[in-house]
Structures are given as structure tokens and as C-alpha cells.
Amino acid sequence: MANDLSPGQLLARGVSRCLMDHGFACLTEVMPRPGLRVDVMALGRKGEIWIVECKSSRADFTSDRKWQGYLDYGDRFFWAVDTDFPVEILPEETGLILADRFGAEILRHGPEAKLAPARRKLVTQGFARTAALRLAGRGDPGAGFLA
């Protein structure tokens, strides 16, 4: 199965494992709104929401024009990269996670920007709905669940 995953998906798997070890529930490829798809969204025990964008190369990072739009949907934002990534090109005011397909390490926390209560409720409900639909789809793949 790992052979079927893209480099970014492998990073997302390692990030998810790490964040789950820190008490977060994680979903990959989440759309907080139409036109935005975050690589990893994590929901903590106290309701905190972290967004992680996985970048597998310099070109992957420089072609990303949407990442600042993700800041409105989480309390913290991180980049996840592998050991070969040129981390000096990443904005210093964001979080940094070093990852591979097996796990990850949080190297730097970006600043916390707490979501407004109404936005937090919408994001949390979207997270729950996406998780529930994906789980239902596993039990009945032919039912046409969207997530």
C-alpha cells in the first residue's frame, strides 16, 4: 500500500502518527471550504485544531499559492517536510515538522492564533462529518458517501 502513496501522502502518514502520539485525532486531505484542501487536519483533546501542509520538494512549496488561506481554519499551522527539504525557504513564523513515512518530530511550533468560537464550531463539525462519512464509506463503499 505504501508504494501506492505519493511522497506528500507518505509525509502525511508520518505526521498523523506523530500527532496521534500527542493526543490528536487526524484526517488527511480535508476541505475546510471549497477550493481549499489541507494535507492533515488534527483535532486535539481540548478542541484545538492544527493544520499541516506536507511539502515533498522545493517545487511543491513554491507552486503552493493557497497555504495562507489555511490559516483561517486552524489554531496553529505547520509545514511538514523530509530531511532533504531546504527548510530555509519556509516562512520562519510557521511551525515545522520533520517527517517521513514512519513518523515525525515537531521542530518548531508556529504562533497560536485561536479560532473564533463560531469558526471553531464549523471546523470541528466539518472534521466530525468528514470522519463519519469516511468511516461509513468503509463499511458500505457502494453507498456513494462523500467526504
Side-chain angles (χ1 to χ4, degrees):
M1 174 160 162
N3 294 336
D4 298 336
L5 300 177
S6 72
Q9 290 170 318
L10 291 171
L11 289 174
R13 184 171 78 173
V15 166
S16 294
R17 287 178 175 183
C18 171
L19 294 181
M20 285 188 285
D21 287 345
H22 284 85
F24 286 82
C26 298
L27 289 174
T28 59
E29 299 186 11
V30 177
M31 292 182 64
R33 71 169 171 82
L36 287 184
R37 183 196 50 79
V38 300
D39 292 326
V40 179
M41 183 177 281
L43 178 64
R45 291 185 178 114
K46 296 179 182 176
E48 64 272 37
I49 298 167
W50 289 4
I51 304 275
V52 183
E53 266 305 287
C54 300
K55 295 300 172 192
S56 59
S57 68
R58 176 188 292 265
D60 187 18
F61 171 73
T62 58
S63 66
D64 187 337
R65 304 272 187 249
K66 296 180 183 178
W67 74 269
Q68 290 181 324
Y70 305 149
L71 302 177
D72 294 335
Y73 295 93
D75 298 307
R76 289 193 190 271
F77 178 84
F78 296 84
W79 297 106
V81 298
D82 67 17
T83 56
D84 295 327
F85 191 93
V87 295
E88 64 277 359
I89 68 172
L90 298 172
E92 288 186 26
E93 68 277 5
T94 56
L96 178 60
I97 298 174
L98 188 63
D100 63 21
R101 65 197 271 172
F102 302 108
E105 179 182 357
I106 300 170
L107 299 181
R108 177 177 73 223
H109 284 78
E112 185 176 49
K114 289 198 177 267
L115 293 174
R119 174 63 58 95
R120 179 176 310 285
K121 180 180 178 182
L122 287 173
V123 173
T124 303
Q125 286 175 334
F127 185 97
R129 182 171 168 74
T130 299
L133 287 171
R134 288 182 184 177
L135 183 60
R138 284 186 175 190
D140 187 0
F145 295 104
L146 300 174

